[in-house]
Amino acid sequence: MSVDKDTVRRIAKLARLAVPENRLEPMAAELNGIFQWVEMLGEVDVEGVPAMTSVVAQKLKWRKDEVNDGGQADALMINAPEGEEHFFVVPKVHE
Amino acid sequence: MSDLISMSLAEARDAIRAKKISSRELTGAFVSAIEKARPLNAFITEVGEKALAMADASDKRIAAGTIGALEGLPLAIKDLFCTKGTRTTAASKILGNFVPPYESTVTQNLWDAGAVMLGKTNLDEFAMGSSNETSAFGPVFNPWRANNSNANLVPGGSSGGSSAAVAADLCLAATGTDTGGSIRQPAAVTGRVGLKPTYGRCSRFGIVAFASSLDQAGPMTKTVKDAAIMLGSMASVDAKDSTSVDIAVPDYEKLLEGGIKGLRVGIPKEYRIDGAPAEIDALWSKGAGWLKAQGAEIVEVSLPHTKYALPTYYIVAPAEASSNLARYDGVRFGYRASGVRDIIDLYEKSRGEGFGGEVQRRILIGTYVLSAGYYDAYYARAQKLRSLIKRDFERAFEQCDVLLTPTTPGPAFGVGAKTTDPLEMYLQDVFTVTVNLAGLPGISVPAGLTESGLPLGLQLIGKAFDEGTLLRAAQAVETAAAFKHSPAKWWSV
């Protein structure tokens, strides 16, 4: 599989990442180098091998479904690039 | 003053307990050493005043007789651990002004034990790198230089600020995080100790996430004993991290005792790679000899899927990163681009301007391998390979108790020497990454110098949650290696 300029443009769009037009071609070349190297995984027979879901043999713990934190709106707004009272301000979404 | 800062964590602890020194004196010595060492760029944020205030509070506790495990001991914290009220950047422009309203569990544990924070150390952006060169705050320079050379070398990465700070005596010990080798590799190339615990041993709560199934916090220290002391305070089961494991934290320092007579040490034959410098191989054999001389039994073992570990990692880690880093959107916190048309433009420009090149590359790899039509070929296959790699270790551990390998394929390299080809940089983690994929504990111990005078480390790998045996074996290597070297303090102005 080979990654071209259009593919980079498409995945950049999926990743919500602005990649300048003049970076698309070099990025495609870099990604191709990496994907070609990764191709070696194709030579391993993985028939019947379970995909890893947890690296330590552990069952995820259950916890009570109850509120244990909250009321932190002021603290949450401290780092907002733009906010008004307890709202994050963003550019207009709908016309 | 220089005696104070060159003490080990254990020595400083004992001196404080014996009231030979105060935390204030000790902390003051480090604060001034850090100021003098600014040419190394090891710290992103220094918190001298806060450190002295913490030291004073600690001295009061000592006077009152309430003495924690790390009482009064000044530490450096990788700038990936959220610290309440102290800027936490992950070495990224996108978090350049982020001040967490909460504390990571690991750092909270350290403060609860009485430790003092000296500052936040530099790292590769979002911990993605092996040389600390991807930091938005500039590279860190390794305190070590080759014999008769003034060329700046990298301190390893991603925990490069922490490794440099420990090696340059700018703290008693530091925290690091290790996703593919980010504690062990920098510790190795700066001649110090770095321990990645078993996945789940330390809580990940409040650590800026890179690849959640691989990330693990651990100590970077001057000695193996110091690593045991640090881990004892860092580790905990935590309701805020459901993957932290509910196993009691043992007294690791106590577990250092007893020697290694009868310990079975596995030598994985696949770690002998073509083109590795002869010095690495020689040191590895020497290490096996040291352990044997202390009563260990050396067994050759096989980890057949070793060569697939790095490519597996470069699917799994970017996939998880692309998902974890989706939260940086310029809306709730972090960098926001200006002059945008609409909300999509805001997301794309904020991320495009806020993330550096390596982070963008990994986000794109991750997005691609998770995208429709490619998921099975890449991600699903990589997760199967991960099972095989873990199985290799399980089989090897039927024949041995710990494994001995080199930590890195070579010593510290020059700044800029490996920045052209991403693959060349990725290969730095060839010996360390398997451990993360299998969730196991691993430690790097300084074992010798190259002909040009640069440190090399040996890595030991243990069974899951068997850090006790791992540390004991590491101490045996440390004792035999008798590595007492320190870099010349060329940076001190």
Side-chain angles (χ1 to χ4, degrees):
Chain A
M1 269 168 281
S2 169
V3 177
D4 57 17
K5 201 170 149 180
D6 289 335
T7 313
V8 175
R9 196 183 283 117
R10 185 176 64 81
I11 55 176
K13 191 81 199 164
L14 285 173
R16 295 277 183 263
L17 204 56
V19 178
E21 193 62 27
N22 64 2
R23 276 291 299 148
L24 291 173
E25 202 78 67
M27 185 61 91
E30 286 166 18
L31 295 187
N32 270 324
I34 293 163
F35 286 124
Q36 271 160 25
W37 170 64
V38 161
E39 289 296 314
M40 76 164 93
L41 298 185
E43 68 195 47
V44 184
D45 180 10
V46 293
E47 192 63 36
V49 176
M52 178 174 285
T53 51
S54 171
V55 73
V56 289
Q58 176 190 219
K59 256 180 126 171
L60 273 186
K61 281 162 275 191
W62 291 75
R63 58 171 168 78
K64 287 208 175 103
D65 185 14
E66 58 187 18
V67 177
N68 55 25
D69 202 356
Q72 303 278 357
D74 286 344
L76 281 173
M77 298 308 294
I78 289 171
N79 287 291
E82 204 182 338
E84 271 179 41
E85 295 177 17
H86 289 164
F87 295 93
F88 298 106
V89 175
V90 295
K92 208 192 253 180
V93 177
H94 288 291
E95 283 307 322
Chain B
M1 284 301 248
S2 69
D3 307 328
L4 283 183
I5 61 172
S6 59
M7 276 194 281
S8 72
L9 184 81
E11 287 164 354
R13 177 191 62 180
D14 297 344
I16 280 189
R17 286 185 181 175
K19 303 212 164 71
K20 285 185 192 150
I21 51 165
S22 67
S23 176
R24 172 96 194 185
E25 272 176 88
L26 187 59
T27 304
F30 281 113
V31 168
S32 96
I34 290 170
E35 281 169 13
K36 286 186 191 134
R38 285 188 186 139
L40 294 176
N41 200 26
F43 285 80
I44 289 174
T45 307
E46 297 172 14
V47 293
E49 274 177 41
K50 190 185 161 134
L52 292 171
M54 285 177 90
D56 287 341
S58 181
D59 284 330
K60 280 194 188 125
R61 288 194 296 272
I62 294 164
T66 45
I67 299 177
L70 300 174
E71 197 61 60
L73 303 178
L75 306 176
I77 303 299
K78 185 178 186 179
D79 205 19
L80 201 64
F81 292 81
C82 286
T83 42
K84 189 174 180 174
T86 298
R87 180 172 77 140
T88 300
T89 68
S92 181
K93 184 178 171 186
I94 214 158
L95 279 176
N97 298 314
F98 179 63
V99 179
Y102 53 86
E103 187 79 26
S104 84
T105 297
V106 163
T107 48
Q108 189 61 55
N109 289 346
L110 295 173
W111 317 142
D112 289 348
V116 168
M117 175 164 81
L118 291 165
K120 306 294 293 290
T121 55
N122 207 336
L123 65 149
D124 279 296
E125 184 179 5
F126 281 99
M128 297 178 189
S130 301
S131 65
N132 212 114
E133 290 168 291
T134 71
S135 169
F137 295 83
V140 175
F141 299 135
N142 195 325
W144 293 83
R145 284 172 167 176
N147 294 336
N148 310 315
S149 164
N150 287 328
N152 283 321
L153 305 176
V154 303
S158 66
S159 312
S162 289
S163 69
V166 174
D169 290 335
L170 307 182
C171 57
L172 289 172
T175 62
T177 61
D178 191 315
T179 304
S182 283
I183 286 175
R184 293 159 287 156
Q185 183 258 11
V189 300
T190 55
R192 296 297 179 259
V193 176
L195 167 65
K196 183 205 94 77
T198 312
Y199 183 81
R201 183 67 289 187
C202 295
S203 168
R204 289 181 294 108
F205 175 80
I207 300 173
V208 176
F210 161 14
S212 303
S213 78
L214 302 160
D215 297 344
Q216 184 61 205
M220 303 178 72
T221 57
K222 297 178 187 179
T223 68
V224 172
K225 186 178 180 181
D226 289 359
I229 295 168
M230 280 285 283
L231 181 62
S233 289
M234 291 172 74
S236 66
V237 58
D238 180 16
K240 293 173 184 160
D241 173 7
S242 63
T243 63
S244 73
V245 173
D246 205 349
I247 296 177
V249 180
D251 183 344
Y252 292 113
E253 202 179 346
K254 194 135 224 172
L255 292 174
L256 289 171
E257 295 163 12
I260 57 158
K261 209 166 170 57
L263 188 81
R264 297 170 305 164
V265 178
I267 306 290
K269 60 179 185 204
E270 290 81 5
Y271 280 56
R272 220 165 293 266
I273 53 168
D274 295 340
E279 285 177 311
I280 299 279
D281 248 8
L283 187 70
W284 191 14
S285 306
K286 216 165 156 184
W290 291 334
L291 294 172
K292 198 173 172 189
Q294 291 175 69
E297 182 195 335
I298 307 297
V299 276
E300 178 156 299
V301 296
S302 173
L303 299 167
H305 295 92
T306 297
K307 74 166 177 169
Y308 303 109
L310 261 184
T312 298
Y313 176 85
Y314 275 95
I315 292 174
V316 174
E320 293 185 17
S322 72
S323 167
N324 272 325
L325 271 55
R327 73 190 70 177
Y328 304 102
D329 56 7
V331 174
R332 292 155 303 149
F333 52 84
Y335 175 80
R336 174 184 281 203
S338 51
V340 297
R341 284 191 312 274
D342 53 27
I343 185 86
I344 301 293
D345 202 35
L346 171 80
Y347 296 150
E348 293 183 343
K349 285 213 176 96
S350 297
R351 290 164 63 76
E353 293 169 16
F355 290 130
E358 181 60 27
V359 174
Q360 296 200 16
R361 188 181 297 129
R362 298 209 198 180
I363 289 174
L364 292 173
I365 295 170
T367 306
Y368 184 73
V369 300
L370 291 175
S371 66
Y374 298 103
Y375 181 91
D376 284 334
Y378 288 107
Y379 189 71
R381 176 168 282 266
Q383 288 293 58
K384 290 177 182 176
L385 256 302
R386 212 178 152 183
S387 291
L388 290 172
I389 289 161
K390 184 164 190 266
R391 193 181 294 172
D392 283 355
F393 278 105
E394 283 162 3
R395 289 188 180 152
F397 280 130
E398 288 168 7
Q399 297 165 261
C400 64
D401 306 303
V402 294
L403 297 161
L404 178 73
T405 77
T407 309
T408 60
F413 47 89
V415 172
K418 292 186 195 286
T419 42
T420 329
D421 179 7
L423 278 179
E424 212 187 324
M425 187 69 83
Y426 296 173
L427 287 172
Q428 273 297 305
D429 291 335
V430 65
F431 298 134
T432 48
V433 77
T434 51
V435 171
N436 301 78
L437 290 168
L440 301 171
I443 188 168
S444 179
V445 184
L449 294 176
T450 62
E451 216 166 285
S452 56
L454 294 173
L456 290 172
L458 285 173
Q459 174 179 240
L460 287 145
I461 302 168
K463 296 177 186 170
F465 299 103
D466 193 13
E467 279 85 356
T469 306
L470 183 68
L471 285 160
R472 198 157 66 244
Q475 199 181 42
V477 171
E478 181 182 51
T479 306
F483 185 96
K484 303 284 179 217
H485 311 281
S486 274
K489 298 199 171 174
W490 53 266
W491 59 86
S492 218
V493 284

